[in-house]
Amino acid sequence: GAFMAAFAAAVGEGGPVFLADPHWGEPERVALRRLMAQRASAVAAGAAAARGWLMIPSGGSSGEIKFARHDEDTLSAAVLGFARHFGTQQVNAIGLLPLHHVSGLMAWMRCVLTGGSYRPWDWKRLERGDAPRLPVDGDWFLSLVPTQLQRLLAQPELIVWLRQFRAIFLGGGPTWPELSDVAAQAGLPLVLSYGMTETAAMVAAQRPD
C-alpha cells in the first residue's frame, strides 16, 4: 500500500521516476544518485535519449546497477501482449513479489491497465498456510520464483489453493525438472516464463495447457 501510494504521487509530480531496492547499501545508493543526475541532465538538454520517464532497476549480467527506461506506451504494450497471449480481457493477481522489481510491478500494472483486482499478500503469511480467498469468477494469476513454489507444494491445502489460478508464472531463476514434475502431478497451471526488464514483459511463456 505504501509503495503504491508513493508511486502514484511520484508519477503525478511528473518527470523521471526511479524505482529502487530498499535493501541497497551505500555503494548502490551512490550509483543511483549518479544515474539520477545523468538522467536529469539528459531531460534538461532535450536529448532524444530522454524518452522514458520510468526507470526500472536491473542488475544485469555484470552485477552493476542499471535501469531500463519505460513509459505508458511500453507498459501498455507489454500488458496488451500478455492479455492476448493468455486470452483474457481482465487480469486479477495476488502480489507476492516486490513492486520495485519488474516482475512485481508488472503484475500490478496488468491489473491496473485491464481494470482487474490486485491484492498484495505477504509471502511469510502465505508460507504459514494463510492464503487469500479467491473469487470464483475471473482470471487470477500468480507469479512465483522456484523456491517459493517448492515450499508451497509441501502443504496440501495450499496445493488446492494454487489450482484455482488461471496461470502460475515461474521465473526469476532456473526451474529443476523434479519441481516441474511435482507441480504437473499436482495439476497446477504452471507457466514457465522468461522475461526482461528491458521489455517489461515476458519474452517467452508457455500456456498452462
Side-chain angles (χ1 to χ4, degrees):
F3 176 95
M4 290 185 279
F7 181 84
V11 173
E13 289 291 328
V17 175
F18 283 78
L19 303 187
D21 187 336
H23 299 104
W24 279 348
E26 187 57 24
E28 291 83 2
R29 293 174 185 271
V30 168
L32 171 61
R33 289 191 289 269
R34 174 176 54 80
L35 291 169
M36 289 176 66
Q38 291 176 356
R39 190 68 185 146
S41 297
V43 173
R51 180 182 178 183
W53 52 264
L54 177 60
M55 267 52 75
I56 305 177
S58 172
S61 58
S62 66
E64 299 177 0
I65 294 177
K66 300 177 182 177
F67 287 89
R69 298 196 308 269
H70 285 285
D71 56 28
E72 60 274 16
D73 292 330
T74 61
L75 299 183
S76 296
V79 171
L80 179 61
F82 175 97
R84 285 178 174 173
H85 185 70
F86 291 103
T88 185
Q89 294 184 338
Q90 187 177 74
V91 179
N92 306 290
I94 300 297
L96 294 174
L97 303 178
L99 290 168
H100 62 260
H101 188 271
V102 66
S103 55
L105 178 73
M106 289 311 297
W108 176 36
M109 286 293 102
R110 293 175 197 130
C111 299
V112 171
L113 296 180
T114 63
S117 297
Y118 177 82
R119 296 187 62 186
W121 202 257
D122 181 66
W123 162 248
K124 292 296 184 183
R125 188 174 175 183
L126 179 60
E127 192 177 20
R128 292 194 300 267
D130 183 5
R133 180 172 297 181
L134 300 183
V136 294
D137 57 340
D139 291 333
W140 284 82
F141 298 86
L142 179 68
S143 296
L144 298 172
V145 297
T147 53
Q148 287 179 319
L149 177 61
Q150 182 184 36
R151 294 177 184 177
L152 297 182
L153 283 171
Q155 304 184 53
E157 67 277 10
L158 290 181
I159 293 177
V160 175
W161 179 74
L162 290 170
R163 290 187 185 129
Q164 301 176 77
F165 286 92
R166 169 77 171 79
I168 300 170
F169 304 113
L170 205 60
T175 301
W176 50 100
E178 294 82 359
L179 180 63
S180 298
D181 291 343
V182 172
Q185 292 168 5
L188 302 188
L190 201 63
V191 172
L192 298 181
S193 62
Y194 173 76
M196 293 176 63
T197 308
E198 291 79 4
T199 65
M202 297 175 188
V203 178
Q206 294 176 320
R207 293 187 178 91
D209 56 356

